[in-house]
C-alpha cells in the first residue's frame, strides 16, 4: 500500500504510524479522526496545564499528563509520549521541582506536535 502524504509527513517527524494505524483498526480515515481529536484535545489542555502549574496543582497536572501520555501512545507520537511519561512519573513521585523545571520544555513539545498533527491532517486524502 502506497503511503499518503499525511502518513509520510507523520513518519518523517518521528511518529510510529504503523502503531497508530494498529490502534485504529488499520484504517487511515479512523486514524485521521483520532489525530484530529488529539489535536483538539491538546488545544484545550494547554491552558489547563498552564493553570495547574500556576496554581501548583500537581495532582491535576499529573492526571492531565497521564491522559496525554496515553493519547500520544495511541497515535504513535513517540516524542510527546516520552515527554508526557517523564512529567507523569515525576508528578506521581512527588518530584514537583522537576515537574516545574521541565514544564516549559514539555509545553513546547506538546504545541509542536499539535501543530504537526494539524499540518498532517490538512493534507488531502
Amino acid at each position: 500500500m502506497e503511503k499518503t502524504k499525511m502518513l509520510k509527513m507523520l513518519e518523517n517527524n518521528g511518529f510510529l504510524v504503523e502503531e497508530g494505524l494498529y490502534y485504529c483498526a488499520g484504517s487511515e480515515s479512523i486514524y485521521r479522526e483520532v489525530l484530529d481529536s488529539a489535536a483538539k484535545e491538546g488545544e484545550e489542555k494547554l491552558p489547563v496545564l498552564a493553570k495547574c502549574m500556576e496554581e501548583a496543582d500537581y495532582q491535576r497536572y499529573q492526571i492531565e499528563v497521564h491522559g496525554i501520555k496515553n493519547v500520544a501512545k495511541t497515535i504513535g507520537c513517540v516524542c510527546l509520549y516520552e515527554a508526557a511519561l517523564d512529567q507523569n512519573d515525576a508528578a506521581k513521585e512527588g518530584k514537583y521541582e522537576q515537574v516545574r523545571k521541565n514544564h516549559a520544555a514539555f509545553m513546547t513539545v506538546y504545541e509542536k506536535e499539535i501543530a504537526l498533527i494539524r499540518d498532517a491532517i490538512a493534507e488531502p486524502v
Side-chain angles (χ1 to χ4, degrees), residues 94-112:
K95 297 177 180 174
Y96 304 132
E97 195 52 46
Q98 182 180 331
V99 170
R100 275 189 128 14
K101 190 176 123 228
N102 296 328
H103 172 71
F106 172 71
M107 293 290 274
T108 300
V109 168
Y110 200 15
E111 290 167 353
K112 178 181 145 288

PDB file of all heavy atoms in Angstrom, residues 94-112:
ATOM      1  N   GLY A  94       6.113  12.800  43.261  1.00  0.00           N
ATOM      2  CA  GLY A  94       6.222  13.979  44.110  1.00  0.00           C
ATOM      3  C   GLY A  94       7.449  14.835  43.828  1.00  0.00           C
ATOM      4  O   GLY A  94       7.838  15.659  44.648  1.00  0.00           O
ATOM      5  N   LYS A  95       8.041  14.672  42.661  1.00  0.00           N
ATOM      6  CA  LYS A  95       9.227  15.459  42.279  1.00  0.00           C
ATOM      7  C   LYS A  95       8.761  16.743  41.589  1.00  0.00           C
ATOM      8  O   LYS A  95       8.982  16.959  40.403  1.00  0.00           O
ATOM      9  CB  LYS A  95      10.126  14.632  41.365  1.00  0.00           C
ATOM     10  CG  LYS A  95      10.681  13.390  42.038  1.00  0.00           C
ATOM     11  CD  LYS A  95      11.515  12.574  41.070  1.00  0.00           C
ATOM     12  CE  LYS A  95      12.068  11.334  41.756  1.00  0.00           C
ATOM     13  NZ  LYS A  95      12.754  10.461  40.794  1.00  0.00           N
ATOM     14  N   TYR A  96       8.124  17.606  42.386  1.00  0.00           N
ATOM     15  CA  TYR A  96       7.476  18.793  41.829  1.00  0.00           C
ATOM     16  C   TYR A  96       8.448  19.826  41.281  1.00  0.00           C
ATOM     17  O   TYR A  96       8.123  20.531  40.318  1.00  0.00           O
ATOM     18  CB  TYR A  96       6.529  19.410  42.866  1.00  0.00           C
ATOM     19  CG  TYR A  96       5.503  18.414  43.357  1.00  0.00           C
ATOM     20  CD1 TYR A  96       5.257  18.267  44.706  1.00  0.00           C
ATOM     21  CD2 TYR A  96       4.809  17.608  42.455  1.00  0.00           C
ATOM     22  CE1 TYR A  96       4.318  17.340  45.155  1.00  0.00           C
ATOM     23  CE2 TYR A  96       3.875  16.679  42.898  1.00  0.00           C
ATOM     24  CZ  TYR A  96       3.631  16.546  44.245  1.00  0.00           C
ATOM     25  OH  TYR A  96       2.716  15.632  44.679  1.00  0.00           O
ATOM     26  N   GLU A  97       9.623  19.907  41.855  1.00  0.00           N
ATOM     27  CA  GLU A  97      10.627  20.844  41.337  1.00  0.00           C
ATOM     28  C   GLU A  97      11.028  20.425  39.916  1.00  0.00           C
ATOM     29  O   GLU A  97      11.178  21.257  39.029  1.00  0.00           O
ATOM     30  CB  GLU A  97      11.852  20.878  42.264  1.00  0.00           C
ATOM     31  CG  GLU A  97      12.768  22.050  42.019  1.00  0.00           C
ATOM     32  CD  GLU A  97      12.052  23.400  42.024  1.00  0.00           C
ATOM     33  OE1 GLU A  97      11.234  23.668  42.929  1.00  0.00           O
ATOM     34  OE2 GLU A  97      12.304  24.193  41.083  1.00  0.00           O
ATOM     35  N   GLN A  98      11.161  19.123  39.710  1.00  0.00           N
ATOM     36  CA  GLN A  98      11.486  18.590  38.379  1.00  0.00           C
ATOM     37  C   GLN A  98      10.338  18.868  37.404  1.00  0.00           C
ATOM     38  O   GLN A  98      10.568  19.241  36.259  1.00  0.00           O
ATOM     39  CB  GLN A  98      11.754  17.087  38.491  1.00  0.00           C
ATOM     40  CG  GLN A  98      12.144  16.439  37.184  1.00  0.00           C
ATOM     41  CD  GLN A  98      12.415  14.945  37.331  1.00  0.00           C
ATOM     42  OE1 GLN A  98      12.832  14.485  38.385  1.00  0.00           O
ATOM     43  NE2 GLN A  98      12.156  14.208  36.276  1.00  0.00           N
ATOM     44  N   VAL A  99       9.107  18.680  37.868  1.00  0.00           N
ATOM     45  CA  VAL A  99       7.934  18.957  37.032  1.00  0.00           C
ATOM     46  C   VAL A  99       7.964  20.419  36.595  1.00  0.00           C
ATOM     47  O   VAL A  99       7.784  20.723  35.412  1.00  0.00           O
ATOM     48  CB  VAL A  99       6.617  18.636  37.786  1.00  0.00           C
ATOM     49  CG1 VAL A  99       5.403  19.141  37.013  1.00  0.00           C
ATOM     50  CG2 VAL A  99       6.488  17.141  38.053  1.00  0.00           C
ATOM     51  N   ARG A 100       8.190  21.314  37.552  1.00  0.00           N
ATOM     52  CA  ARG A 100       8.227  22.747  37.257  1.00  0.00           C
ATOM     53  C   ARG A 100       9.346  23.083  36.267  1.00  0.00           C
ATOM     54  O   ARG A 100       9.157  23.837  35.322  1.00  0.00           O
ATOM     55  CB  ARG A 100       8.469  23.556  38.535  1.00  0.00           C
ATOM     56  CG  ARG A 100       7.228  23.852  39.317  1.00  0.00           C
ATOM     57  CD  ARG A 100       7.501  24.832  40.437  1.00  0.00           C
ATOM     58  NE  ARG A 100       6.694  26.005  40.556  1.00  0.00           N
ATOM     59  CZ  ARG A 100       5.548  26.306  39.976  1.00  0.00           C
ATOM     60  NH1 ARG A 100       5.043  25.509  39.112  1.00  0.00           N
ATOM     61  NH2 ARG A 100       4.896  27.400  40.226  1.00  0.00           N
ATOM     62  N   LYS A 101      10.519  22.500  36.516  1.00  0.00           N
ATOM     63  CA  LYS A 101      11.692  22.769  35.691  1.00  0.00           C
ATOM     64  C   LYS A 101      11.467  22.318  34.238  1.00  0.00           C
ATOM     65  O   LYS A 101      11.902  22.984  33.302  1.00  0.00           O
ATOM     66  CB  LYS A 101      12.899  22.043  36.287  1.00  0.00           C
ATOM     67  CG  LYS A 101      14.224  22.426  35.663  1.00  0.00           C
ATOM     68  CD  LYS A 101      15.382  21.732  36.362  1.00  0.00           C
ATOM     69  CE  LYS A 101      16.141  20.954  35.356  1.00  0.00           C
ATOM     70  NZ  LYS A 101      16.511  19.636  35.566  1.00  0.00           N
ATOM     71  N   ASN A 102      10.788  21.201  34.046  1.00  0.00           N
ATOM     72  CA  ASN A 102      10.597  20.626  32.705  1.00  0.00           C
ATOM     73  C   ASN A 102       9.282  21.021  32.038  1.00  0.00           C
ATOM     74  O   ASN A 102       9.032  20.633  30.894  1.00  0.00           O
ATOM     75  CB  ASN A 102      10.716  19.108  32.779  1.00  0.00           C
ATOM     76  CG  ASN A 102      12.100  18.674  33.191  1.00  0.00           C
ATOM     77  OD1 ASN A 102      13.092  19.333  32.888  1.00  0.00           O
ATOM     78  ND2 ASN A 102      12.186  17.573  33.907  1.00  0.00           N
ATOM     79  N   HIS A 103       8.459  21.787  32.756  1.00  0.00           N
ATOM     80  CA  HIS A 103       7.134  22.132  32.229  1.00  0.00           C
ATOM     81  C   HIS A 103       7.202  22.898  30.901  1.00  0.00           C
ATOM     82  O   HIS A 103       6.503  22.549  29.949  1.00  0.00           O
ATOM     83  CB  HIS A 103       6.332  22.936  33.273  1.00  0.00           C
ATOM     84  CG  HIS A 103       5.054  23.465  32.735  1.00  0.00           C
ATOM     85  ND1 HIS A 103       3.986  22.649  32.449  1.00  0.00           N
ATOM     86  CD2 HIS A 103       4.684  24.728  32.405  1.00  0.00           C
ATOM     87  CE1 HIS A 103       2.997  23.392  31.969  1.00  0.00           C
ATOM     88  NE2 HIS A 103       3.395  24.652  31.938  1.00  0.00           N
ATOM     89  N   ALA A 104       8.037  23.934  30.830  1.00  0.00           N
ATOM     90  CA  ALA A 104       8.111  24.747  29.606  1.00  0.00           C
ATOM     91  C   ALA A 104       8.549  23.902  28.409  1.00  0.00           C
ATOM     92  O   ALA A 104       7.972  24.006  27.321  1.00  0.00           O
ATOM     93  CB  ALA A 104       9.042  25.930  29.803  1.00  0.00           C
ATOM     94  N   ALA A 105       9.537  23.048  28.614  1.00  0.00           N
ATOM     95  CA  ALA A 105      10.005  22.176  27.528  1.00  0.00           C
ATOM     96  C   ALA A 105       8.897  21.206  27.105  1.00  0.00           C
ATOM     97  O   ALA A 105       8.706  20.954  25.911  1.00  0.00           O
ATOM     98  CB  ALA A 105      11.246  21.408  27.961  1.00  0.00           C
ATOM     99  N   PHE A 106       8.162  20.689  28.086  1.00  0.00           N
ATOM    100  CA  PHE A 106       7.048  19.789  27.778  1.00  0.00           C
ATOM    101  C   PHE A 106       5.988  20.511  26.947  1.00  0.00           C
ATOM    102  O   PHE A 106       5.507  19.987  25.945  1.00  0.00           O
ATOM    103  CB  PHE A 106       6.428  19.233  29.068  1.00  0.00           C
ATOM    104  CG  PHE A 106       5.169  18.465  28.826  1.00  0.00           C
ATOM    105  CD1 PHE A 106       5.205  17.215  28.218  1.00  0.00           C
ATOM    106  CD2 PHE A 106       3.943  18.989  29.169  1.00  0.00           C
ATOM    107  CE1 PHE A 106       4.047  16.504  27.962  1.00  0.00           C
ATOM    108  CE2 PHE A 106       2.775  18.287  28.917  1.00  0.00           C
ATOM    109  CZ  PHE A 106       2.823  17.042  28.316  1.00  0.00           C
ATOM    110  N   MET A 107       5.658  21.731  27.352  1.00  0.00           N
ATOM    111  CA  MET A 107       4.645  22.502  26.626  1.00  0.00           C
ATOM    112  C   MET A 107       5.100  22.785  25.195  1.00  0.00           C
ATOM    113  O   MET A 107       4.296  22.735  24.263  1.00  0.00           O
ATOM    114  CB  MET A 107       4.339  23.805  27.372  1.00  0.00           C
ATOM    115  CG  MET A 107       3.667  23.593  28.710  1.00  0.00           C
ATOM    116  SD  MET A 107       1.970  22.988  28.587  1.00  0.00           S
ATOM    117  CE  MET A 107       1.109  24.543  28.425  1.00  0.00           C
ATOM    118  N   THR A 108       6.386  23.056  25.015  1.00  0.00           N
ATOM    119  CA  THR A 108       6.922  23.304  23.671  1.00  0.00           C
ATOM    120  C   THR A 108       6.756  22.066  22.791  1.00  0.00           C
ATOM    121  O   THR A 108       6.322  22.170  21.641  1.00  0.00           O
ATOM    122  CB  THR A 108       8.408  23.730  23.756  1.00  0.00           C
ATOM    123  OG1 THR A 108       8.491  24.925  24.525  1.00  0.00           O
ATOM    124  CG2 THR A 108       9.013  23.945  22.387  1.00  0.00           C
ATOM    125  N   VAL A 109       7.075  20.904  23.348  1.00  0.00           N
ATOM    126  CA  VAL A 109       6.908  19.651  22.606  1.00  0.00           C
ATOM    127  C   VAL A 109       5.434  19.450  22.259  1.00  0.00           C
ATOM    128  O   VAL A 109       5.089  19.125  21.118  1.00  0.00           O
ATOM    129  CB  VAL A 109       7.432  18.439  23.422  1.00  0.00           C
ATOM    130  CG1 VAL A 109       7.006  17.119  22.795  1.00  0.00           C
ATOM    131  CG2 VAL A 109       8.946  18.501  23.555  1.00  0.00           C
ATOM    132  N   TYR A 110       4.567  19.656  23.238  1.00  0.00           N
ATOM    133  CA  TYR A 110       3.132  19.447  23.040  1.00  0.00           C
ATOM    134  C   TYR A 110       2.601  20.380  21.947  1.00  0.00           C
ATOM    135  O   TYR A 110       1.907  19.933  21.026  1.00  0.00           O
ATOM    136  CB  TYR A 110       2.406  19.682  24.365  1.00  0.00           C
ATOM    137  CG  TYR A 110       1.033  19.073  24.479  1.00  0.00           C
ATOM    138  CD1 TYR A 110       0.572  18.095  23.608  1.00  0.00           C
ATOM    139  CD2 TYR A 110       0.173  19.475  25.502  1.00  0.00           C
ATOM    140  CE1 TYR A 110      -0.688  17.535  23.738  1.00  0.00           C
ATOM    141  CE2 TYR A 110      -1.082  18.918  25.652  1.00  0.00           C
ATOM    142  CZ  TYR A 110      -1.515  17.954  24.764  1.00  0.00           C
ATOM    143  OH  TYR A 110      -2.766  17.403  24.906  1.00  0.00           O
ATOM    144  N   GLU A 111       2.945  21.652  22.015  1.00  0.00           N
ATOM    145  CA  GLU A 111       2.493  22.612  20.999  1.00  0.00           C
ATOM    146  C   GLU A 111       3.021  22.250  19.619  1.00  0.00           C
ATOM    147  O   GLU A 111       2.293  22.334  18.624  1.00  0.00           O
ATOM    148  CB  GLU A 111       2.940  24.028  21.381  1.00  0.00           C
ATOM    149  CG  GLU A 111       2.198  24.578  22.583  1.00  0.00           C
ATOM    150  CD  GLU A 111       2.820  25.835  23.167  1.00  0.00           C
ATOM    151  OE1 GLU A 111       3.924  26.236  22.724  1.00  0.00           O
ATOM    152  OE2 GLU A 111       2.200  26.414  24.073  1.00  0.00           O
ATOM    153  N   LYS A 112       4.284  21.827  19.542  1.00  0.00           N
ATOM    154  CA  LYS A 112       4.899  21.451  18.264  1.00  0.00           C
ATOM    155  C   LYS A 112       4.180  20.242  17.664  1.00  0.00           C
ATOM    156  O   LYS A 112       3.890  20.213  16.464  1.00  0.00           O
ATOM    157  CB  LYS A 112       6.381  21.147  18.488  1.00  0.00           C
ATOM    158  CG  LYS A 112       7.136  20.693  17.256  1.00  0.00           C
ATOM    159  CD  LYS A 112       8.593  20.399  17.595  1.00  0.00           C
ATOM    160  CE  LYS A 112       9.180  19.272  16.845  1.00  0.00           C
ATOM    161  NZ  LYS A 112       8.798  17.926  17.137  1.00  0.00           N
TER     162      LYS A 112
END
